[in-house]
Amino acid sequence: MDIEDQFSLEHLLFKERRCRTCGATKDLIEDFYLTRKSKKGFPSAYAYECKECTVKRVIESRKKRDPFA
């Protein structure tokens, strides 16, 4: 692991981002999914929708299964 990678990751530790869906300001690393693994040291590599909102969106948009089919 390069020293440069450690410093760039260290700068991200205190970043916060506002979720586009719920509007809450949350921690970038803990509360947002990493969407571009090759750009790990940049804030733009993280999603703009928090993990909680992403899970809610996926659950609501899933196809409903008929239990009697």
Side-chain angles (χ1 to χ4, degrees):
M1 190 170 191
D2 268 337
I3 292 175
E4 294 174 4
D5 291 340
Q6 291 176 356
F7 284 116
S8 63
L9 182 61
E10 185 177 294
H11 293 292
L12 286 176
L13 291 177
F14 302 109
K15 294 262 184 181
E16 292 183 341
R17 176 171 282 173
R18 187 172 180 205
C19 176
R20 285 187 177 175
T21 306
C22 66
T25 303
K26 299 182 179 184
D27 184 45
L28 183 65
I29 294 179
E30 293 180 10
D31 296 323
F32 291 89
Y33 284 115
L34 181 67
T35 56
R36 298 183 191 126
K37 303 212 186 310
S38 63
K39 306 275 185 182
K40 197 171 190 175
F42 299 102
S44 62
Y46 290 86
Y48 288 91
E49 183 180 46
C50 69
K51 288 182 178 181
E52 294 173 7
C53 292
T54 302
V55 169
K56 287 178 190 175
R57 177 178 51 84
V58 169
I59 288 174
E60 289 174 0
S61 67
R62 279 191 179 157
K63 190 178 194 180
K64 305 288 186 227
R65 292 187 182 174
D66 187 13
F68 300 108

